[in-house]
Amino acid sequence: MYEESIDGFFGDYGGKYIPEILHSAIDELDSAFDFYIHDKDFLDELNILRRDYIGRETPLMFAERATELLGGGKIFIKLEGLANTGAHKINNAIGQVLLAKKMGKTRIIAETGAGQHGVATAAACAKLGMQCVIYQGEVDVRRQQPNVASMELYGAKVVAVKTGSRTLKDAVNEAMRDWATNFETTHYCLGSALGPAPFPDMVRTFQSIIGEEVKKQCAERNIQIDSLVACVGGGSNASGFFAPFFKDEKIKLYGAEGGGTGPEIGNNASRMVGTSARDGIMQGFKSRFLVDDDGQAQKTSSISAGLDYLGISPQLAMLGKTGRITFEAIRDNEALEAVNFFAKNEGILMALESSHAAAYAMKLAPKVPKDKAIIINMSGRGDKDVFITSPVFRPEEWKEFLKSELKRLEENKDVHEKY
Ligand SMILES: *Cc1c(COP(=O)(O)O)cnc(C)c1O
């Protein structure tokens, strides 16, 4: 549909570098996706879920005050944060879980890092009546308790992965292992435009609803697009937002990576900007990765948990290399400033991931002609980040709050017995 891969490859990147035991699972998924993505019943059901469950279409909001303050192109914000569960991840989760159900699967597994994809998958499974197991690194389980609590409320089983660095990439490995053994009953719902083919094509396709709506909304309202700006972790929100515009070279595409605290290796998560990353093959696909000379994973750092994966969508890596997408590393402090700016001037609380895109747009806007639009994809809303933003913006009050909450819990040891 939109610059699909050729046999799983986007130029040099992509492919399916998988062990023999995964071949059957991947082949089955490949043909099921090819079939259902053209099947009218599947698409009708998907569109009803998008409308009534996710809450699509999401608004395209004119950021009038931000536009005046920045003094350049008209700023618009695509409010994906208004999607049910608070971010774009549900677009992909609902698509894949529905596909799995059509394939006759009864069980869904997924990896999660910060927990956003785990929450979306658990919710989609509850909605569609599927069993759900989420693999999450033990370190992440410990520091992402609010999302673990939501996943469990939706009925998912959260498995803490104790291998390797006990974070996202280890959770991916564990999910792959489970899938290889159980694929007859089980679908692996991968969370971003990553992994072996056909996942990058499939995830982009389910997320393309974002860009399709933007295209329609701009046509209806006669908005002349100059540029689109998205944050890039694994690359799913950017892929889906950009995809309908890939071939329209008049429209500029910008990707914001996690610039962390600076360009030194280990202090950021930028795979396209700077010299930290290199080409490599990991987790079933070829792309750009933050690995050292021996191919070992480097430490990554970003204030936003969704932007700190060490790899990137093979398609976005290719489009970065050809120059179709321009990347910029946005630092933690710039992302925080953008949260503040859009909260104060537009009444919009962005996720820290999305605010990387917003910060990039704030730099670009003054150079865009006044009659043209620069569109930010707000991939998610910022409520989830209160444990990160509050300690920065109001550390003393937050510390007191946490202490008093702990005291309240300890004094009410029997609190759960009340209900
Ligand atoms: C997970 C996440 C991201 C990063 O993932 P992509 O696959 O790059 O889109 C960005 N924003 C939010 C709100 C997220 O939850």
Side-chain angles (χ1 to χ4, degrees):
M1 224 179 300
Y2 304 114
E3 312 253 322
E4 276 173 42
S5 67
I6 299 170
D7 289 333
F9 280 93
F10 305 92
D12 288 344
Y13 297 126
K16 40 185 164 190
Y17 298 88
I18 49 169
E20 187 69 35
I21 46 164
L22 271 174
H23 283 182
S24 309
I26 288 275
D27 289 348
E28 189 194 11
L29 179 62
D30 222 343
S31 32
F33 176 62
D34 265 357
F35 175 80
Y36 283 109
I37 204 62
H38 301 109
D39 178 62
K40 187 173 178 305
D41 290 344
F42 175 81
L43 294 172
D44 286 348
E45 250 178 89
L46 179 60
N47 284 330
I48 289 170
L49 285 163
R50 282 170 168 170
R51 187 191 66 197
D52 300 343
Y53 177 64
I54 299 180
R56 305 208 71 91
E57 59 185 41
T58 58
L60 179 67
M61 184 194 80
F62 178 36
E64 193 171 359
R65 300 189 65 219
T67 300
E68 267 169 39
L69 289 165
L70 296 169
K74 292 191 174 77
I75 295 180
F76 285 83
I77 308 177
K78 177 66 169 164
L79 299 180
E80 281 301 295
L82 293 191
N84 192 4
T85 69
H88 71 287
K89 291 218 167 65
I90 193 74
N91 299 325
N92 171 51
I94 275 285
Q96 286 199 44
V97 175
L98 183 65
L99 175 68
K101 197 167 172 176
K102 295 280 174 196
M103 291 168 73
K105 310 290 175 192
T106 54
R107 180 172 174 267
I108 300 291
I109 56 172
E111 85 294 344
T112 199
Q116 296 300 108
H117 175 54
V119 168
T121 305
C125 287
K127 178 68 189 152
L128 294 172
M130 303 284 263
Q131 261 185 70
C132 182
V133 176
I134 305 292
Y135 288 99
Q136 185 171 31
E138 191 182 36
V139 172
D140 292 328
V141 170
R142 207 173 303 142
R143 65 187 172 191
Q144 303 292 346
Q145 274 301 308
N147 281 337
V148 176
S150 300
M151 288 183 254
E152 289 182 350
L153 260 179
Y154 286 126
K157 180 170 173 235
V158 180
V159 177
V161 175
K162 296 184 170 64
T163 51
S165 56
R166 295 171 292 146
T167 57
L168 179 58
K169 73 173 178 30
D170 312 292
V172 172
N173 291 337
E174 212 52 49
M176 290 273 186
R177 219 164 282 151
D178 180 324
W179 196 30
T181 324
N182 299 309
F183 74 91
E184 280 177 14
T185 58
T186 300
H187 171 66
Y188 175 19
C189 179
L190 210 151
S192 192
L194 301 164
F199 282 110
D201 279 321
M202 190 166 71
V203 175
R204 184 203 58 243
T205 301
F206 287 136
Q207 292 291 1
S208 294
I209 186 69
I210 305 172
E212 284 160 9
E213 285 179 3
V214 166
K215 200 166 186 173
K216 177 173 148 279
Q217 288 165 322
C218 288
E220 281 167 1
R221 289 152 63 180
N222 200 18
I223 297 165
Q224 305 298 317
I225 308 174
D226 175 86
S227 42
L228 306 178
V229 195
C231 65
V232 183
S236 68
N237 88 87
S239 301
F241 181 43
F242 294 164
F245 304 95
F246 279 155
K247 288 200 180 122
D248 187 350
E249 303 266 347
K250 292 187 301 300
I251 294 175
K252 301 179 203 84
L253 306 177
Y254 295 104
E257 300 190 282
T261 52
E264 308 78 22
I265 289 177
N267 288 350
N268 58 70
S270 63
R271 293 104 348 137
M272 301 303 293
V273 180
T275 54
S276 302
R278 62 196 69 202
D279 287 2
I281 295 170
M282 279 186 90
Q283 305 204 299
F285 68 111
K286 183 169 179 191
S287 189
R288 290 187 62 74
F289 292 94
L290 287 159
V291 289
D292 64 20
D293 291 336
D294 302 324
Q296 295 298 310
Q298 284 177 26
K299 195 171 120 358
T300 58
S301 170
S302 168
I303 191 165
S304 72
L307 299 186
D308 70 356
Y309 184 62
L310 79 173
I312 182 171
S313 145
Q315 184 165 30
L316 297 188
M318 183 271 283
L319 294 170
K321 197 162 153 183
T322 62
R324 178 68 188 97
I325 301 174
T326 307
F327 285 90
E328 170 97 339
I330 297 296
R331 303 240 182 135
D332 293 347
N333 61 336
E334 297 174 309
L336 283 164
E337 274 167 34
V339 166
N340 208 8
F341 179 83
F342 283 95
K344 298 283 187 303
N345 298 306
E346 289 293 342
I348 290 287
L349 193 54
M350 292 202 185
L352 278 166
E353 292 84 359
S354 320
S355 76
H356 283 67
Y360 195 5
M362 288 169 74
K363 297 186 194 191
L364 295 164
K367 296 173 221 153
V368 174
K370 283 187 188 296
D371 59 341
K372 294 207 126 191
I374 174 165
I375 305 179
I376 301 164
N377 189 37
M378 181 178 111
S379 52
R381 61 171 179 249
D383 315 47
K384 70 178 176 64
D385 296 323
V386 66
F387 283 86
I388 301 165
T389 48
S390 257
V392 174
F393 292 130
R394 39 202 297 285
E396 285 313 313
E397 293 87 341
W398 189 250
K399 213 189 292 172
E400 284 311 312
F401 165 69
L402 290 182
K403 272 192 214 154
S404 70
E405 281 296 293
L406 187 60
K407 191 151 162 272
R408 192 170 68 84
L409 265 180
E410 282 170 346
E411 284 169 1
N412 277 292
K413 288 209 172 66
D414 58 346
V415 67
H416 61 279
E417 284 163 15
K418 284 195 219 156
Y419 302 103

